[in-house]
Amino acid sequence: MEKIKLGLIGLGTVGTGVYKSVQNFDNIEIAKIAVKNINKPRSVDVPQSMLTDNPYDIVNDPTIDIVVELMGGVEPAWSYIKTAIQNGKHIVTANKELLAKKGEELFNLSEEHNCVVLYEAAIAGGIPLIMPIKTIMAGNKINKIQAILNGTTNYILTKMDVDGASYEDVLKEAQELGYAETDPTGDVEGFDAAYKITTLATIAFNSRTKFENVYREGITKIRKEDMKKANELGYKIKLIASATIDDKNNADVRVHPMLVPQDCTLAHIDYVTNAVAISGYPIGDILLSGPGAGESPTTSSVMGDILSIARAWKTTDYLLPMMRCHHHEISNPVKIDDTYNKYYISITAPNGIGLIAKIGQICAEKDVSLASISSDSDDVTARITVITDKCLERNIKEVIANLDGCTISSLIRVME
Amino acid sequence: MEKIKLGLIGLGTVGTGVYKSVQNFDNIEIAKIAVKNINKPRSVDVPQSMLTDNPYDIVNDPTIDIVVELMGGVEPAWSYIKTAIQNGKHIVTANKELLAKKGEELFNLSEEHNCVVLYEAAIAGGIPLIMPIKTIMAGNKINKIQAILNGTTNYILTKMDVDGASYEDVLKEAQELGYAETDPTGDVEGFDAAYKITTLATIAFNSRTKFENVYREGITKIRKEDMKKANELGYKIKLIASATIDDKNNADVRVHPMLVPQDCTLAHIDYVTNAVAISGYPIGDILLSGPGAGESPTTSSVMGDILSIARAWKTTDYLLPMMRCHHHEISNPVKIDDTYNKYYISITAPNGIGLIAKIGQICAEKDVSLASISSDSDDVTARITVITDKCLERNIKEVIANLDGCTISSLIRVME
């Protein structure tokens, strides 16, 4: 049997995992691997002749069938992938940023060249998510996703909760343990989760969401006091990537911290675990959870994609349409100011008679109904915690702008 | 475009859901439906000419491409399906009992006739489970499954826990609400879960487990006192379907109640929700949960299967192998007596000095190490709760046989 030939771009932890795993299958083989430094010592015994420091040696090699891109980032990965597709190669990638920012061009190009682009590993690591949505759940109209898609921030929030520690202290510890990067921006400011929900919303809703329309807020402002208060009120704080779509193709896609009720399973997804809750018709509500990153789970998903293409080999007319992403529709973005949410507001102000009445009045004027308001004050300072009913984001912003003399310590949305 | 023609056997809740859902797709159509009584009034408006009371009108109809069997039970469903496969038709079924008892013959026959048998709806209702295992997780060596696969028993156990009610009272309520059948044996004695884990173990391990080798124990002996005690000790009681396999193809597949630690997600899967925890290499641990039954989720899975076949239409050489079930290997069954487990034992005995010493001594003689032992006694009666370390099932049975003068109120295995 002639083996299907793979070219790997990148030989980090996942690339190494894929290299080892491929040895267990007799219908696929690795032909060439592009690395930065071909002389670097490695944990696997790769024949020197297989290595190149020029990815174009792979994407232009007519004997290579599938290009497995594991380098990340938009450029130069996008240039390599474009050339590979133009040369008729199928793509397996774990590159969530590329998918979010170049998805439309990428899938149009692959369509044009009759190639498949699979990316199970790019979203929620080892959790089987993309293929189930495209196959076994294809009969459904999915209208809502709520997910924990970033392991680093979930680790930090869990540790803050468990240890009663501050964001800064936990971040430092996470960096020392290798759970957070030296520059943690991509994770803690929600970019990583935003890349993932962009693509997930697009395939689940069968209508493209553009990355620039995804509202994004990170976890850097969450205080240990908020964690404590959330617990008292029956919530946990999580960085939630969410997407909803209505019958008129209006998609509300965003990433921000939320108070999650403790009777919701997402509240109990801790440390680096990821979870995706999907609602649709007729399926109802399902939850998929598992490791969101790491060599092994990511390798599992990359291998799953490679094997799916291998099994479907030379059946372009029939199987490949199933694997492709068609989103000729583009959803209408909903602006965050136009969304309705519940809010947790932590207010600090000089203590004085009439403070709660004042807050209540301003809220009433702006059509914001209060679910609860509580004060924890000493002689000098009042610390007031408000939970609102569902109200318009624009109105909440007006409430906040009108609370003269009060400091808004936190404003966090609350999951219903 | 010529539409793919479906024949439905059964037009109950799921059949009705499928009938309605098919109208949304332009590549499939329902050609014929077999029902018991063609004159019965129905909630959907089905043309009378589409109905037959003879399923052979469907399985022998040369124009029908896919037979969707939704009647359940081994016979006569098996006869209909056999004929359909012999006539070259693909099968979509939700029949877990048939799969468990006739799986080997069924998949051999379908292989011989180049047909596909899909059954996503048969196990864990709407949860995408079978297709992910066969596709995106195909690069993994799965070695362990722990699952809640029966909604009725999970509903009963949840209600017993929440309300502090007895099994009998909750069963009665569940029957009135339609969550349990008039004859609840199939659910409460663990048959339904055993059918499902038989097939699930077979495909996950790629090695056939035979139904007769699955150990099975139901929930009818669980007392409200056990629920209370389990909570005190940090557990919940759940009916767990489990399967493990070792490197020598020894498969330990069983269904029985377990004390599940409260820090395990399965402990929090409540009411009619199902959940499947899968461990493998390289994927690690994942959890899939969602609605285990009901018209809508089951319809979703049946439609997913139908659409998978429709997409792969006329590609028998390439796609169909992926969808098929090959298990030419048969796993070696592990007898329950040869398994190692932790146990919860509730013992009642006349109160007297030396009782705990006696229990401790008998356990020690039989190589059973105790993790904890506590007594809750009045002047007359001692109620002793033992949690053992992991020990051989055979030895526990000997301990129990040797506890003269003691009544064993409960013996329940404990999840680690």
Side-chain angles (χ1 to χ4, degrees), chain B residues 189-210:
Chain B
E189 294 294 0
F191 286 98
D192 177 82
Y195 295 146
K196 292 167 177 169
I197 194 72
T198 300
T199 303
L200 188 52
T202 297
I203 67 146
F205 299 156
N206 233 328
S207 183
R208 181 157 291 283
T209 285
K210 299 195 171 190

Side-chain angles (χ1 to χ4, degrees), chain B residues 289-329:
Chain B
S289 77
E295 172 186 337
S296 292
T298 311
T299 300
S300 163
S301 287
V302 170
M303 286 304 299
D305 282 345
I306 293 170
L307 294 171
S308 290
I309 298 177
R311 268 191 228 93
W313 203 239
K314 309 221 154 126
T315 61
T316 43
D317 288 346
Y318 293 95
L319 174 65
L320 299 190
M322 173 176 95
M323 294 183 163
R324 282 188 200 148
C325 292
H326 302 279
H327 325 102
H328 300 306
E329 274 196 76

Side-chain angles (χ1 to χ4, degrees), chain A residues 76-366:
Chain A
W78 176 222
S79 299
Y80 303 148
I81 286 179
K82 249 191 313 201
T83 307
I85 293 174
Q86 282 156 351
N87 288 330
K89 300 185 196 316
H90 300 299
I91 308 291
V92 173
T93 177
N95 193 332
K96 61 233 164 186
E97 186 179 354
L98 177 73
L99 289 162
K101 295 183 175 169
K102 297 286 176 188
E104 194 169 3
E105 291 173 72
L106 173 61
F107 293 110
N108 285 343
L109 188 70
S110 66
E111 185 107 332
E112 194 185 310
H113 291 274
N114 213 19
C115 295
V116 170
V117 179
L118 297 188
Y119 49 89
E120 188 67 58
I123 304 165
I127 306 175
L129 178 65
I130 307 303
M131 188 63 91
I133 288 176
K134 289 200 285 180
T135 59
I136 202 67
M137 290 167 67
N140 284 275
K141 170 90 185 130
I142 297 173
N143 53 31
K144 186 174 171 190
I145 294 168
Q146 289 184 308
I148 293 172
L149 292 176
N150 179 267
T152 302
T153 48
N154 205 45
Y155 176 86
I156 292 172
L157 293 172
T158 305
K159 284 294 272 184
M160 284 176 69
D161 184 43
V162 171
D163 298 350
S166 73
Y167 167 75
E168 290 74 16
D169 289 348
V170 175
L171 173 63
K172 200 169 155 236
E173 189 199 312
Q175 286 172 321
E176 283 162 12
L177 290 169
Y179 288 143
E181 294 184 50
T182 317
D183 175 1
T185 314
D187 292 314
V188 301
E189 295 293 0
F191 287 98
D192 177 83
Y195 296 147
K196 292 167 178 169
I197 195 71
T198 301
T199 303
L200 188 52
T202 298
I203 67 145
F205 299 156
N206 235 328
S207 184
R208 180 157 291 282
T209 285
K210 298 195 172 191
F211 176 66
E212 60 265 32
N213 293 325
V214 175
Y215 178 80
R216 181 189 47 74
E217 208 177 283
I219 64 160
T220 59
K221 289 177 196 156
I222 306 289
R223 306 167 310 148
K224 60 181 173 186
E225 293 80 4
D226 298 320
M227 281 288 171
K228 190 159 166 275
K229 199 43 120 179
N231 271 299
E232 285 169 25
L233 296 167
Y235 297 92
K236 297 284 176 190
I237 300 180
K238 298 286 180 188
L239 183 67
I240 299 294
S242 71
T244 54
I245 194 162
D246 68 14
D247 291 344
K248 290 172 182 151
N249 202 26
N250 299 308
D252 173 11
V253 185
R254 34 173 154 150
V255 172
H256 53 60
M258 290 191 100
L259 270 70
V260 181
Q262 287 183 17
D263 61 5
C264 171
T265 311
L266 287 178
H268 305 284
I269 301 297
D270 289 332
Y271 298 104
V272 295
T273 302
N274 280 197
V276 184
I278 301 174
S279 303
Y281 182 80
I283 200 168
D285 301 321
I286 64 161
L287 181 87
L288 312 174
S289 77
E295 173 185 336
S296 293
T298 312
T299 301
S300 163
S301 287
V302 171
M303 288 303 300
D305 282 345
I306 293 170
L307 295 172
S308 290
I309 298 178
R311 268 191 227 94
W313 202 239
K314 311 219 153 129
T315 61
T316 43
D317 286 347
Y318 293 97
L319 176 62
L320 299 190
M322 172 174 95
M323 294 183 165
R324 283 191 201 146
C325 292
H326 303 278
H327 326 102
H328 300 306
E329 274 195 73
I330 294 179
S331 60
N332 314 312
V334 175
K335 287 208 175 66
I336 190 78
D337 279 353
D338 297 331
T339 64
Y340 286 81
N341 307 278
K342 280 176 71 117
Y343 299 85
Y344 155 95
I345 315 172
S346 175
I347 302 168
T348 312
N351 204 354
I353 290 170
L355 183 58
I356 289 192
K358 178 183 165 184
I359 295 170
Q361 200 197 326
I362 294 173
C363 287
E365 281 167 12
K366 301 297 172 190

Side-chain angles (χ1 to χ4, degrees), chain B residues 356-370 373 386 388 391 395-396 398-399 402-403:
Chain B
I356 288 192
K358 179 184 164 184
I359 294 171
Q361 199 197 328
I362 294 173
C363 285
E365 281 168 13
K366 301 297 174 190
D367 218 16
V368 170
S369 159
L370 300 184
I373 181 162
V386 173
T388 72
C391 59
N395 291 358
I396 276 289
E398 288 184 14
V399 164
N402 280 279
L403 282 172

Side-chain angles (χ1 to χ4, degrees), chain B residues 53 122 148 158 172 187-188 209 221 233 360 404:
Chain B
D53 55 8
I148 294 172
T158 305
K172 200 169 156 237
D187 292 314
V188 300
T209 285
K221 290 178 196 155
L233 296 166
D404 316 324

